[in-house]
């Protein structure tokens, strides 16, 4: 009922800016299998590249016709099996639960795109007569693309954060008032004041936490009481981030330094995320939110 015609059109379109820009090259497709699996996805014309719109997996009992969903999945390519071409851990979790699941994640999504995924979720519930089960678990995995996309546009601001990380890693310098002031922007709670100059990490964390907060409240409104929020997968294990920093932005300092900076940034981002989750648990005690650090 909440999915208006405008919202439905938005839900069926791309969640990411790249799809919005090249939307005419994508075609919406549907498929179903004998086991009851249903898929709606975007197919790029002339290529095998696909991006998920909706994937429904039936429960383990083939004779069960329950319309109650046990698992919901929202997020980016780490949840979009069609985009990556492999089975993600949220999909494995859904299958192992044996409960019907609905996955509306899409590769390339930023945290702001979670609102589009919620529209698709509402549309699917209304169109297929599904409803959220009493013990339904929602898995939310999003935010990494916010950082990656921002790196290309605001790399010069990132250099300030890199300097902050480098200074903070030297324990002898932490006692200096100027260093504490300059680096404080990365170590003060998001709810506190910001000082020490502009920071890409803090700005990105604020945006991710803001959109995740709104998404969790909307899921609770839909009847979800259990949410598993995955940490931001920003680390030296990300090939694209490692290449961007180690081979381009921080080339003079060496790959080892770039990897150490990436790992430190990941720790900082997830500390901000954990702070937000603690706050929402206090604001909405009926919502059981757990943090999964990948």
């Amino acid at each position: 009922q909440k999915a208006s015609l405008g919202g439905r059109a938005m839900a069926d379109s791309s969640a990411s800016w790249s799809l919005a820009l090249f939307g005419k090259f994508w075609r919406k497709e549907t498929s179903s299998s004998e086991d009851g699996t249903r898929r709606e996805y975007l197919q790029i014309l002339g290529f095998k590249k696909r991006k998920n719109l909706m994937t429904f997996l039936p429960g383990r009992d083939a004779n069960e016709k329950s319309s109650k969903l046990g698992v919901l999945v929202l997020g980016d390519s780490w949840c979009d099996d069609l985009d990556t071409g492999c089975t993600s851990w949220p999909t494995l979790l859904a299958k192992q639960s044996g409960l019907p699941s609905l996955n509306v994640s899409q590769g390339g999504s930023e945290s702001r795109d979670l609102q589009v995924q919620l529209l698709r979720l509402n549309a699917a519930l209304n169109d297929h007569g599904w409803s959220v089960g009493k013990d339904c678990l929602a898995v939310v995995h999003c935010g990494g693309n916010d950082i990656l996309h921002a790196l290309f546009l605001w790399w010069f601001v990132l250099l300030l954060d890199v300097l902050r990380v480098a200074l903070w890693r030297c324990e002898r310098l932490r006692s200096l008032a100027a260093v504490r002031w300059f680096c404080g922007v990365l170590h003060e709670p998001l709810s506190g004041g910001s000082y020490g100059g502009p920071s890409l990490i803090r700005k990105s964390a604020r945006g991710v936490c803001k959109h995740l907060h709104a998404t969790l409240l909307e899921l609770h409104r839909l009847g979800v009481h259990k949410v598993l929020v995955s940490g931001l997968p920003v680390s030296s294990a990300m090939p694209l981030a490692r290449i961007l920093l180690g081979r381009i932005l921080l080339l003079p300092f060496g790959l080892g330094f770039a990897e150490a900076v990436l790992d430190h940034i990941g720790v900082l981002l997830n500390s901000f995320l954990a702070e937000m989750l603690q706050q929402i648990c206090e604001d909405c005690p009926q919502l059981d939110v757990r943090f999964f650090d990948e």
Side-chain angles (χ1 to χ4, degrees):
Q1 295 174 350
K2 280 242 175 182
S4 61
L5 292 178
R8 180 68 57 83
M10 184 179 181
D12 287 342
S13 65
S14 163
S16 65
W17 64 268
S18 60
L19 292 185
L21 183 62
F22 301 107
K24 63 181 180 180
F25 299 109
W26 296 81
R27 180 178 64 245
K28 183 179 178 181
E29 300 283 354
T30 61
S31 66
S32 59
S33 57
E34 295 181 355
D35 64 357
T37 299
R38 305 180 192 175
R39 296 185 187 275
E40 294 182 4
Y41 55 90
L42 294 173
Q43 174 81 53
I44 187 170
L45 301 179
F47 295 89
K48 294 183 178 181
K49 187 67 173 178
R50 297 181 296 174
K51 286 186 178 290
N52 179 62
L53 289 174
M54 182 204 78
T55 298
F56 170 77
L57 299 177
R60 181 178 296 122
D61 187 355
N63 297 320
E64 184 182 2
K65 300 299 182 181
S66 175
S67 61
K68 299 288 185 180
L69 297 174
V71 179
L72 300 176
V73 181
L74 299 90
D76 49 29
S77 59
W78 288 58
C79 308
D80 186 350
D81 300 351
L82 294 178
D83 183 42
T84 60
C86 60
T87 304
S88 64
W89 68 260
T91 298
L92 293 175
L93 178 65
K95 289 181 177 181
Q96 290 178 7
S97 72
L99 301 172
S101 67
L102 181 63
N103 186 334
V104 292
S105 67
Q106 187 175 90
S109 295
E110 297 183 1
S111 59
R112 61 184 176 183
D113 299 319
L114 290 172
Q115 296 302 309
V116 180
Q117 296 181 21
L118 286 171
L119 286 174
R120 287 207 301 270
L121 173 59
N122 273 292
L125 294 178
N126 293 327
D127 291 346
H128 299 281
W130 297 325
S131 60
V132 174
K134 177 182 177 182
D135 296 319
C136 180
L137 170 69
V139 178
V140 182
H141 188 302
C142 207
N145 287 322
D146 295 60
I147 312 300
L148 287 178
H149 297 166
L151 288 179
F152 291 96
L153 297 175
W154 305 103
W155 58 268
F156 51 92
V157 180
L158 175 67
L159 292 179
L160 290 176
D161 286 333
V162 171
L163 179 58
R164 291 184 177 103
V165 170
L167 290 173
W168 199 256
R169 288 172 61 84
C170 183
E171 295 185 5
R172 293 182 179 180
L173 296 178
R174 292 184 191 178
S175 59
L176 300 178
V179 172
R180 291 199 304 270
W181 175 84
F182 181 60
C183 299
V185 67
L186 296 183
H187 299 90
E188 290 296 317
L190 284 180
S191 56
S194 177
Y195 52 89
S199 168
L200 177 64
I201 295 176
R202 189 178 184 90
K203 181 179 183 298
S204 299
R206 279 187 179 276
V208 171
C209 290
K210 173 186 175 182
H211 294 120
L212 280 175
H213 188 278
T215 299
L216 296 183
L217 292 180
E218 178 62 17
L219 286 171
H220 182 256
R221 189 197 66 79
L222 290 174
V224 176
H225 301 288
K226 299 178 181 179
V227 183
L228 181 64
V229 178
S230 177
L232 303 181
V234 177
S235 71
S236 58
M238 297 181 66
L240 180 58
R242 189 169 62 248
I243 292 173
L244 184 60
L245 262 69
R247 302 303 184 188
I248 301 178
L249 297 180
L250 303 179
L251 180 61
F253 302 96
L255 184 59
F257 177 76
E259 291 179 345
V261 168
L262 274 172
D263 290 335
H264 195 109
I265 290 175
V267 171
L268 291 172
L269 288 170
N270 283 315
S271 67
F272 287 139
L273 180 58
E275 175 192 340
M276 183 276 294
L277 295 179
Q278 182 179 0
Q279 183 62 47
I280 197 171
C281 287
E282 295 175 358
D283 296 341
C284 188
Q286 302 89 352
L287 193 59
D288 183 8
V289 181
R290 304 296 177 92
F291 175 69
F292 174 53
D293 188 357
E294 287 185 328

